[in-house]
């Protein structure tokens, strides 16, 4: 049996090609898998479980079908959809992972999984914003606002973030290797899997440790498959 990992699908209503290919991926590649781990940013924006559209329901139906066929589905929040809650997860039949990083034990190998934004510790401004955004009290206040106001705020934040990113250096935006080593030493993990940076690749940290980065779904799809102690990095061409 295989276990699949994806991140940064960034689904949007207007991006029908990405949606179609992700749905195809669920129906073909993952249909007989033991589990699917979604490591954040499944959706480009998320303003609350009470603000669902046709895209959200379409994805929910596909994930629910997958889980009913026996594939466990797990979701770890990203920086775009950290407000995705228990209500929507229940519709999808998927389990919300409780913390920003998780340990998976496969045979005797420990794998640490996370979205990846917490690794970008050089970006002090973003980390401060992230700290505020994860405050449960502030989240509840935000979710109490009318849907239109929430959407307006989210769009403003995303636009501002994109503009600021242009002026940031690669060193600021990229992961901090020391932070990676700290996490792997603390968890005793041999493999780290994450997304967020949109720079797919395999990085060997030592002879026994490696970091695997998932790419974003734009013109191509990206997934990792682990089965029988083998790791496959899938680059999925869009039809």
């Amino acid at each position: 049996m295989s276990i699949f990992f994806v991140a940064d699908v960034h689904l949007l209503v207007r991006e029908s090609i990405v949606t179609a290919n992700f749905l195809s991926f669920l129906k073909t590649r993952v249909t007989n898998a033991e589990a699917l781990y979604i490591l954040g940013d499944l959706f480009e924006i998320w303003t609350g479980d009470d603000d669902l559209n046709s895209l959200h329901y379409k994805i929910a139906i596909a994930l629910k079908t997958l889980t009913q066929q026996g594939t466990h589905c797990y979701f770890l929040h990203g920086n775009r959809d950290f407000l995705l809650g228990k209500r929507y997860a229940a519709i999808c039949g998927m389990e919300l992972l409780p913390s920003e990083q998780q340990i998976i034990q496969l045979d005797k190998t420990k794998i640490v999984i996370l979205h990846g934004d917490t690794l970008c510790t050089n970006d002090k401004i973003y980390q401060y914003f992230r700290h505020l955004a994860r405050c449960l009290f502030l989240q509840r206040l935000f979710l109490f606002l009318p849907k239109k106001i929430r959407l307006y705020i989210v769009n403003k934040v995303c636009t501002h973030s994109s503009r600021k990113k242009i002026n940031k250096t690669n060193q600021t935006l990229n992961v901090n290797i020391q932070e990676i080593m700290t996490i792997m030493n603390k968890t005793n993990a041999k493999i780290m899997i994450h997304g967020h940076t949109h720079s797919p690749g395999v990085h060997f940290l030592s002879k026994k440790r490696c970091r695997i980065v998932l790419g974003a779904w734009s013109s191509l799809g990206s997934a990792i498959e682990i089965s029988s102690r083998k790791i496959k990095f899938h680059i999925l061409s869009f039809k």
Side-chain angles (χ1 to χ4, degrees):
M1 296 288 283
S2 298
I3 297 177
F4 281 86
F5 302 83
V6 297
D8 301 296
V9 186
H10 291 286
L11 293 170
L12 275 170
V13 172
R14 66 175 180 268
E15 296 292 346
S16 57
I17 294 177
V18 176
T19 301
N21 281 279
F22 182 67
L23 290 172
S24 176
F25 167 76
L26 295 179
K27 292 178 182 178
T28 56
R29 301 263 185 164
V30 193
T31 187
N32 294 316
E34 179 181 344
L36 169 67
Y37 286 84
I38 302 172
L39 306 186
D41 286 3
L42 174 61
F43 297 98
E44 176 68 9
I45 61 172
W46 193 269
T47 61
D49 287 9
D50 60 338
D51 188 19
L52 303 183
N53 56 38
S54 59
L55 169 65
H56 301 143
Y57 283 113
K58 187 180 297 184
I59 297 300
I61 291 170
L63 291 174
K64 185 69 172 181
T65 300
L66 193 66
T67 59
Q68 289 175 338
Q69 292 172 347
T71 299
H72 299 285
C73 184
Y74 304 94
F75 181 85
L76 192 152
H77 291 105
N79 58 294
R80 294 280 183 167
D81 50 17
F82 60 86
L83 288 173
L84 192 150
K86 294 180 180 179
R87 187 193 306 182
Y88 185 70
I91 297 173
C92 297
M94 65 182 179
E95 180 180 341
L96 294 181
L97 297 176
S99 61
E100 61 193 26
Q101 66 184 46
Q102 295 285 313
I103 298 294
I104 302 173
Q105 184 86 35
L106 295 180
D107 295 325
K108 296 181 179 180
T109 302
K110 282 187 177 181
I111 301 174
V112 58
I113 59 172
L114 61 166
H115 177 61
D117 57 333
T118 55
L119 301 174
C120 303
T121 55
N122 294 327
D123 192 344
K124 304 297 183 183
I125 296 175
Y126 169 72
Q127 293 301 330
Y128 177 71
F129 168 77
R130 188 185 188 282
H131 175 73
L132 292 177
R134 295 307 191 277
C135 173
L136 292 179
F137 175 72
L138 293 179
Q139 287 183 7
R140 288 168 183 161
L141 284 179
F142 178 80
L143 292 172
F144 188 72
L145 296 172
K147 297 176 186 179
K148 289 184 178 180
I149 295 178
R150 276 184 266 156
L151 181 60
Y152 175 80
I153 293 172
V154 168
N155 284 330
K156 281 292 185 181
V157 170
C158 290
T159 300
H160 179 75
S161 175
S162 297
R163 289 174 179 172
K164 286 292 185 182
K165 189 178 293 186
I166 296 174
N167 298 321
K168 292 180 179 179
T169 64
N170 289 334
Q171 182 179 3
T172 301
L173 292 171
N174 213 340
V175 297
N176 185 308
I177 299 301
Q178 186 58 51
E179 181 69 16
I180 290 168
M181 296 307 299
T182 297
I183 292 173
M184 297 193 79
N185 287 332
K186 185 176 181 179
T187 59
N188 198 29
K190 302 299 182 184
I191 300 171
M192 174 182 282
I193 300 176
H194 71 83
H196 182 65
T197 62
H198 299 185
S199 301
V202 179
H203 307 271
F204 290 94
L205 306 172
S206 67
K207 290 183 179 180
K208 295 184 178 180
R209 285 179 168 174
C210 73
R211 175 174 66 97
I212 307 175
V213 187
L214 287 156
W217 287 57
S218 51
S219 57
L220 296 170
S222 174
I224 295 168
E225 178 186 4
I226 299 180
S227 61
S228 303
R229 298 184 180 180
K230 294 182 180 180
I231 301 176
K232 295 181 181 179
F233 201 120
H234 295 284
I235 300 297
L236 310 169
S237 60
F238 288 178
K239 297 178 181 179

